[in-house]
Amino acid sequence: MSILEIKNLRASVEEKEILKGISLTVKAGEVHAIMGPNGSGKSTLAQVLAGREEYKVTGGKVLYRGKDLLELGPEERAREGVFMAFQYPVEIPGVSNTYFLKAALNAIRKHRGEKEVDAVEFLKLVREKMKLVKMDETLLRRPVNEGFSGGEKKRNEIFHMAVLEPILGVLDETDSGLDIDALKIVAEGVNSLRDQNRAFVVITHYQRLLDYIIPDFVHVLVEGRIVRSGGKELALELEEKGYSWLEEEASALATA
Amino acid sequence: MQAVVERSSAEKNVYVEGFKALEAEGLAESEALRSLRRRAIEGFEALGFPTPKMERWRNTNVSRIAKAQFRAAERPGEVRRESLAPHVYDGTGRMVFVDGFFVPELSTPLKLPAGVLATNLVEAKKLHGGLVESHLGHHVDFEDQAFAALNTALHRDGFFLYVPKNAVVEEPIHLLFLGTTPETAAYPRNLLVLEDNSQATIIESYVGLTEEAYLTCPVTEVSLGVNAVLDHYKVQRESLAAFHIAVQQSWQDRDSALRSHSISIGGALVRNDLNGYLDGEGVSCTLNGLYLVDGKQHVDNHMRMDHAKPNGYSHELYKGVLNGSGRAVFNGLIHVHEDAQKTDAVQSNRNLLLSKNALAHSNPQLEIFADDVRCTHGSTIGQLDDDAIFYLRSRGIGEEAARSLLTYAFASDIVERIKVESLRQDLEEYLFTRLPRGEVVRQAV
Ligand SMILES: Nc1ncnc2c1ncn2[C@@H]1O[C@H](COP(=O)(O)OP(=O)(O)OP(=O)(O)O)[C@@H](O)[C@H]1O
Ligand SMILES: [Mg+2]
């Protein structure tokens, strides 16, 4: 079954068209990597999937498990199992990381018709997942992301994902700025959830991550279009040759 | 012009008559205390009600109070013991005042160590006249503050605390002031005297048991001896039609500490003047405040900290949540005298606007006459952060709940600083019930 079907998606921000017709199908059990130069529209695609209102969809559609995703508000998407790990996670003063996560988990469970977790169950779950991402327990009590280092913020995103157990995880450059140990932890977070019922879209600049999260498909996004798709070898080719050859192809395509 | 003068004197007359009536009752007071009242009413006659032309009243118009011509209640309204339940705090001793009168039947015995005097003010004037005389009206400036003058002239009762040297009052004392009779005025007068090395915790709460308009005009004077510590909490939950105009004046000797918390929730028109005089080396004064306004509520917090001696510390943090067409005014002045070197003063006012029609005025000011000090001030007026709301929503939290969670976080920052557990829990609970989708917040925290 398809988890995500993006068909000829167009989106603009502040009247400027960023996504110029993207099509992509992600099936259950798959991991898709999206690579591309700065400003090509990778985060825009992720934000559109998460439901950010500033990004206006001007054409095409997105189906999530057969349902129109674009009709749902951001919280409804999350409750249906979509998770977005942000490129730049927001700091939220005054809201502790645990409170936040408990409210999120309970909102999702309520939506699924499950019982809300009590304090004891929650703590047990959180402890277990924290070990997985090797996160310091003090980060739980602190306000969400406030004063966290860049690496801690990224790890916190993976920690949230591990607790919320989404069906579709979209990771926007979660590996950027991480050392190799932290990168392995991020990969471990994804791999531990990876199964026949879930899927992941992993946005990255670096082939390195894909040594640890082995993708089924790699797509290259240039100027708002997917200009090439392939298997994991494509990432290696990009590592070697850069994007310029694809960018030339893309501009030829755009003027054609 | 003539008409205006006539009206303003008519407005004053009700209060002057009130004073004459009080005098005619033949209050059992010393000549010194009676002359204090006389000086105060003369002061009020000279001052009249403040007008928006006066700098300190620029953003708060009290003409509605002047026009309303409230008279003091003749007797306390009927209050059943059961109706107190939502307004009392566990683990505290309680003194209850109704419409300005002390009501012993509603009060509970206070747990006091030997030597501590804690009674209603009428009783204190009889039993400890000398002590009362040497403090009452000595700290607060009623020559320049009309409402302090009114209170000094017209107060009927209030609370008197005297903690002798080295004594510690462990159990918090809760002063509950109830407004029950529409169209009346009450002038509670509190005097808190803590001698050297002593300590106490006082909660003043003001609650309306009527939906109608009335005026509460309290004055609290605080005197802290060397190294004394006072935790002071004020909770203002008057009726939404009520006027509450309060003055608090503290005077602090060397190394003493005042930790003041002011929570303002009720009232149609509320003004708190909070003045502190740091008159010894090493004095510390912490002022935390939270105000919530909605509908057409108006709340004004005016503070003045005088640093008169070196090494003083004053930290003010006032936060406000404004909804509906609510108005808030913050005016904080830190005045550092020439001798007050090494003063450490921080003043911060943060306003969260939840609606388009809410409006906040914030005006923190520094007047510094010493050259070696660390003084900072700042104010913010802003909305909830859209990025934060989106982040919460993208994890499954509904928009309304996300807003409430962020608002709660903003407000609970002040509530969390309250050390009396029963009071803190009561206020947290209040926030949960007041915020939309508060149950989500309650479960989360
Ligand atoms: N909120 C916004 N307002 C205005 N322009 C935006 C906004 N978000 C993105 N853009 C513009 O859209 C284009 C695509 O940006 P996007 O962030 O999607 O790129 P990206 O592929 O994620 O880049 P990077 O690799 O640097 O993260 C850029 O030109 C960017 O400036
Ligand atoms: Mg990006």
Side-chain angles (χ1 to χ4, degrees):
Chain A
M1 179 176 111
S2 289
I3 295 221
L4 188 66
E5 274 177 82
I6 304 176
K7 290 179 192 160
N8 201 21
L9 179 68
R10 292 174 171 269
S12 312
V13 60
E14 290 176 354
E15 311 286 303
K16 185 175 142 207
E17 184 165 64
I18 310 292
L19 301 183
K20 299 170 180 164
I22 288 189
S23 297
L24 178 68
T25 300
V26 180
K27 295 211 169 77
E30 293 177 349
V31 172
H32 290 240
I34 296 181
M35 304 182 78
N38 294 118
S40 58
K42 303 182 297 297
S43 292
T44 301
L45 175 61
Q47 300 276 5
V48 168
L49 294 178
R52 182 112 208 185
E53 276 142 22
E54 288 92 313
Y55 297 83
K56 299 259 179 318
V57 174
T58 53
K61 43 177 163 175
V62 180
L63 299 180
Y64 168 71
R65 302 169 92 200
K67 272 195 259 175
D68 184 355
L69 184 73
L70 301 177
E71 262 194 351
L72 304 178
E75 59 271 47
E76 294 167 310
R77 299 180 194 197
R79 292 170 193 168
E80 291 280 337
V82 179
F83 181 93
M84 156 96 158
F86 288 88
Q87 185 172 4
Y88 305 108
V90 190
E91 301 194 2
I92 307 185
V95 178
S96 98
N97 211 6
T98 359
Y99 294 171
F100 171 42
L101 204 50
K102 197 168 156 206
L105 183 64
N106 279 334
I108 292 169
R109 290 179 68 104
K110 204 170 153 194
H111 179 74
R112 290 191 199 139
E114 291 169 9
K115 202 163 68 51
E116 289 171 1
V117 287
D118 65 33
V120 180
E121 283 173 276
F122 181 69
L123 206 67
K124 193 167 155 262
L125 176 70
V126 155
R127 288 245 160 83
E128 180 193 315
K129 301 297 185 183
M130 243 170 13
K131 260 188 231 137
L132 183 73
V133 295
K134 301 201 172 61
M135 214 172 75
D136 197 280
E137 203 160 322
T138 58
L139 296 186
L140 269 181
R141 270 169 268 128
R142 298 226 321 247
V144 183
N145 294 323
E146 197 179 47
F148 287 24
S149 70
E152 284 170 339
K153 283 182 186 169
K154 297 294 176 81
R155 225 183 293 182
N156 197 38
E157 293 290 282
I158 296 301
F159 168 59
H160 286 186
M161 185 173 83
V163 172
L164 301 178
E165 300 187 328
I167 290 164
L168 173 66
V170 181
L171 280 67
D172 190 2
E173 294 200 29
T174 306
D175 57 326
S176 293
L178 295 186
D179 63 24
I180 192 73
D181 293 325
L183 184 128
K184 282 183 188 166
I185 288 166
V186 166
E188 174 61 21
V190 173
N191 291 332
S192 69
L193 280 176
R194 212 169 160 173
D195 67 21
Q196 282 316 300
N197 303 313
R198 297 179 214 277
F200 292 89
V201 174
V202 178
I203 295 169
T204 181
H205 272 290
Y206 308 103
Q207 186 275 328
R208 189 178 67 155
L209 177 69
L210 306 178
D211 288 341
Y212 299 96
I213 305 175
I214 314 243
D216 299 293
F217 298 94
V218 174
H219 310 276
V220 185
L221 194 61
V222 175
E223 285 173 32
R225 289 189 180 89
I226 292 179
V227 296
R228 175 109 4 155
S229 295
K232 62 176 190 288
E233 348 50 74
L234 180 55
L236 288 169
E237 196 180 348
L238 291 169
E239 180 84 348
E240 209 177 291
K241 303 208 288 201
Y243 294 111
S244 50
W245 57 290
L246 288 170
E247 283 172 307
E248 279 157 29
E249 278 185 27
S251 57
L253 208 76
T255 50
Chain B
M1 193 63 214
Q2 190 61 29
V4 172
V5 171
E6 268 164 28
R7 199 185 67 212
S8 81
S9 58
E11 283 163 357
K12 282 189 292 192
N13 282 345
V14 179
Y15 298 91
V16 177
E17 280 164 24
F19 171 72
K20 285 184 182 141
L22 202 60
E23 259 196 331
E25 266 184 47
L27 295 173
E29 288 185 352
S30 67
E31 174 48 33
L33 291 174
R34 275 183 292 155
S35 112
L36 175 69
R37 286 186 191 270
R38 279 197 297 274
R39 278 191 288 131
I41 199 71
E42 282 160 19
F44 173 73
E45 279 190 274
L47 288 168
F49 281 103
T51 69
K53 290 208 186 90
M54 301 164 73
E55 180 57 29
R56 275 160 51 212
W57 293 87
R58 199 155 47 96
N59 294 309
T60 296
N61 190 336
V62 295
S63 63
R64 279 191 287 163
I65 300 176
K67 282 197 206 98
Q69 308 206 358
F70 296 118
R71 286 165 212 271
E74 283 168 13
R75 64 190 71 81
E78 286 281 324
V79 175
R80 301 216 322 244
R81 194 167 266 279
E82 305 84 81
S83 48
L84 291 189
H87 309 294
V88 301
Y89 307 113
D90 285 347
T92 64
R94 184 167 77 236
M95 303 273 287
V96 179
F97 299 82
V98 177
D99 299 328
F101 293 81
F102 175 54
V103 183
E105 308 84 76
L106 296 173
S107 305
T108 63
L110 307 179
K111 279 189 211 137
L112 303 170
V116 174
L117 310 173
T119 64
N120 59 312
L121 188 62
V122 167
E123 196 70 5
K125 284 175 178 172
K126 282 187 215 153
L127 301 177
H128 322 291
L131 265 178
V132 174
E133 273 170 37
S134 61
H135 286 282
L136 196 75
H138 288 245
H139 305 292
V140 72
D141 174 8
F142 59 81
E143 254 106 56
D144 197 33
Q145 300 184 89
F147 288 97
L150 264 188
N151 176 290
T152 304
L154 296 175
H155 69 271
R156 175 167 295 276
D157 211 339
F159 177 66
F160 171 71
L161 175 70
Y162 176 80
V163 189
K165 249 186 183 168
N166 301 324
V168 175
V169 184
E170 302 262 358
E171 190 182 66
I173 299 172
H174 176 198
L175 313 174
L176 174 55
F177 299 94
L178 299 169
T180 73
T181 311
E183 308 298 322
T184 61
Y187 304 92
R189 180 65 173 232
N190 306 312
L191 178 57
L192 313 174
V193 180
L194 280 76
E195 297 285 18
D196 300 355
N197 288 310
S198 68
Q199 186 166 351
T201 299
I202 298 291
I203 303 166
E204 281 178 37
S205 76
Y206 295 85
V207 172
L209 294 186
T210 166
E211 308 281 295
E212 309 287 320
Y214 60 89
L215 166 67
T216 310
C217 176
V219 169
T220 297
E221 284 178 286
V222 176
S223 166
L224 298 186
V226 175
N227 212 33
V229 179
L230 175 66
D231 285 288
H232 185 269
Y233 301 93
K234 172 173 171 179
V235 183
Q236 183 279 110
R237 294 183 70 169
E238 305 275 20
S239 97
L240 289 176
F243 302 103
H244 180 97
I245 312 286
V247 178
Q248 179 179 319
Q249 174 72 53
S250 55
W251 175 86
Q252 292 184 252
D253 204 343
R254 186 161 47 80
D255 296 323
S256 64
L258 172 63
R259 299 187 287 244
S260 153
H261 304 75
S262 166
I263 311 289
S264 187
I265 292 170
L269 177 60
V270 176
R271 163 84 172 219
N272 290 307
D273 275 277
L274 199 57
N275 305 317
Y277 204 90
L278 287 69
D279 206 10
E281 285 208 37
V283 165
S284 93
C285 184
T286 307
L287 306 171
N288 296 318
L290 174 67
Y291 45 93
L292 309 173
V293 291
D294 203 341
K296 289 188 167 311
Q297 282 180 285
H298 178 113
V299 59
D300 178 349
N301 285 295
H302 252 72
M303 17 253 292
R304 179 185 169 112
M305 288 293 111
D306 270 279
H307 282 261
K309 298 280 158 63
N311 291 304
Y313 164 105
S314 73
H315 277 209
E316 289 170 42
L317 173 62
Y318 266 61
K319 295 179 102 172
V321 180
L322 288 76
N323 209 345
S325 303
R327 296 277 179 278
V329 180
F330 175 89
N331 201 297
L333 172 63
I334 295 172
H335 183 100
V336 181
H337 297 231
E338 204 178 327
D339 287 343
Q341 299 297 356
K342 306 276 181 200
T343 285
D344 174 357
V346 177
Q347 189 184 43
S348 164
N349 174 228
R350 312 210 167 283
N351 294 283
L352 175 59
L353 303 185
L354 296 180
S355 76
K356 280 203 196 78
N357 294 325
L359 186 67
H361 299 275
S362 183
N363 186 22
Q365 303 168 65
L366 299 171
E367 287 175 0
I368 302 176
F369 297 96
D371 47 31
D372 181 15
V373 299
R374 192 182 86 91
C375 294
T376 59
H377 64 169
S379 74
T380 57
I381 299 173
Q383 284 117 33
L384 290 172
D385 177 6
D386 283 337
D387 289 336
I389 293 170
F390 181 70
Y391 189 72
L392 294 166
R393 291 179 74 190
S394 77
R395 297 283 138 99
I397 299 170
E399 184 170 4
E400 217 174 21
R403 289 178 172 280
S404 286
L405 199 56
L406 294 173
T407 307
Y408 181 84
F410 178 85
S412 70
D413 176 29
I414 297 295
V415 174
E416 274 167 13
R417 294 165 202 242
I418 294 174
K419 280 184 287 183
V420 181
E421 198 184 331
S422 52
L423 173 61
R424 191 181 59 241
Q425 284 174 351
D426 183 72
L427 289 167
E428 283 168 352
E429 196 53 41
Y430 175 80
L431 291 176
F432 297 146
T433 51
R434 175 136 170 189
L435 293 169
R437 302 228 151 249
E439 74 283 356
V440 175
V441 183
R442 184 192 283 122
Q443 274 165 10
V445 305

